[in-house]
Amino acid sequence: MEGLQRCFVLHYRPYSETSLILDVFSEDYGRLTILSKGARRKRSNLKGTLQPFTPLFMKWTGRGSMKTLTHAEPISISLPMRGYILYSAFYLNEVLARVLENDTPYPVLFMDYLNALRELAQADNPEPALRRFELALLHHLGYGIDLLHCAGSGLPVDDLMTYHYREQKGFIASMMTGHFTFTGNQLLAIAARRFETPDQLKAAKRFTRIALKPYLGGKPLKSRELFIPRTRNIGK
């Protein structure tokens, strides 16, 4: 590659005694696996730099599946993530690492990810930012279900009606209620990515869980397990 590339480290793991293998999300090249030689040495100038949520300029070489890092420098300080917000940010990283293929460019998704991190860093409640990013991710993955029209009649979604979700078909007007049914009001909020009520936000979470499941597969997300201890302590 030529020039510096804006990147985020999604995850890293030790390699040999002194190096790191980085899972990187770059603006123009998408997700990459990059070897950072000597990054774990005590005198390495990269020590503390290759961290998640730190905007970086990076450069690498190599044509195979494993690139070799030649340069990295922070663009700015790490975005502040603490407690419950930190768990939410790790969730974004894990989802990206699970669903994105290597060496596939997603420049607009990169900006969606950056905006989601910025929103999380300033948020008291992470849920709206998470739902907006999940919906953006589904769009970039090619998820094409129409949220604004009934798949059966073609008519615009009605605020007061109920719609049943059918995989690969869409939302069909129905008298049923259950896990796969949504009101027209909820669908319109999801389509607009604007959540004005707790009911709309809860429905958006249910919808993104359903829609992302085929991409994530059956293996549980490790980042979701981080929420369990907090949930158990509520009310104690």
Side-chain angles (χ1 to χ4, degrees), residues 119-137:
E119 191 174 349
L120 283 174
Q122 301 174 31
D124 294 321
N125 178 10
E127 295 293 322
L130 295 181
R131 302 296 81 81
R132 278 189 277 271
F133 180 76
E134 288 170 335
L135 291 166
L137 177 59

Side-chain angles (χ1 to χ4, degrees), residues 11-24:
H11 179 262
Y12 62 85
R13 63 184 186 274
Y15 181 77
S16 72
E17 293 184 359
T18 60
S19 302
L20 291 172
I21 292 179
L22 311 173
D23 196 353
V24 171

Side-chain angles (χ1 to χ4, degrees), residues 23-215:
D23 196 353
V24 171
F25 187 32
S26 68
E27 184 171 13
D28 294 330
Y29 294 86
R31 183 174 161 236
L32 300 164
T33 303
I34 300 179
L35 174 63
S36 178
K37 295 181 178 178
R40 297 172 61 207
R41 290 190 182 125
K42 290 183 179 180
R43 296 185 179 180
S44 171
N45 59 3
L46 294 177
K47 206 166 185 66
T49 298
L50 303 174
Q51 301 291 324
F53 321 124
T54 300
L56 299 169
F57 278 131
M58 300 179 74
K59 191 173 183 179
W60 56 85
T61 60
R63 296 179 179 273
S65 59
M66 175 84 76
K67 319 299 183 187
T68 300
L69 186 68
T70 58
H71 180 82
E73 63 180 87
I75 300 173
S76 64
I77 61 173
S78 297
L79 293 164
M81 306 287 179
R82 294 181 179 86
Y84 193 74
I85 301 297
L86 178 62
Y87 302 156
S88 298
F90 275 127
Y91 165 76
L92 294 190
N93 284 9
E94 187 175 7
V95 169
L96 284 177
R98 287 273 289 271
V99 305
L100 297 185
E101 295 183 359
N102 274 14
D103 299 302
T104 303
Y106 289 99
V108 179
L109 179 61
F110 181 88
M111 294 307 301
D112 288 327
Y113 172 73
L114 175 58
N115 290 334
L117 292 184
R118 287 171 173 167
E119 191 174 349
L120 283 174
Q122 301 174 31
D124 294 321
N125 178 10
E127 295 293 322
L130 295 181
R131 302 296 81 81
R132 278 189 277 271
F133 180 76
E134 288 170 335
L135 291 166
L137 177 59
L138 285 165
H139 170 74
H140 292 296
L141 291 173
Y143 181 85
I145 296 297
D146 187 352
L147 292 159
L148 298 176
H149 297 86
C150 173
S153 66
L155 294 173
V157 162
D158 187 301
D159 251 20
L160 301 178
M161 290 187 65
T162 301
Y163 298 85
H164 183 78
Y165 174 75
R166 293 187 182 178
E167 189 174 351
Q168 299 181 344
K169 290 185 179 180
F171 294 89
I172 298 175
S174 173
M175 298 297 291
M176 299 171 57
T177 59
H179 183 68
F180 291 91
T181 56
F182 299 81
T183 65
N185 177 269
Q186 292 168 344
L187 293 180
L188 292 172
I190 294 169
R193 301 182 192 175
R194 290 197 301 269
F195 312 110
E196 298 175 352
T197 67
D199 176 71
Q200 291 172 344
L201 194 55
K202 187 176 179 180
K205 184 173 184 176
R206 180 160 49 92
F207 170 72
T208 56
R209 292 292 181 271
I210 293 169
L212 281 170
K213 188 175 181 179
Y215 297 99

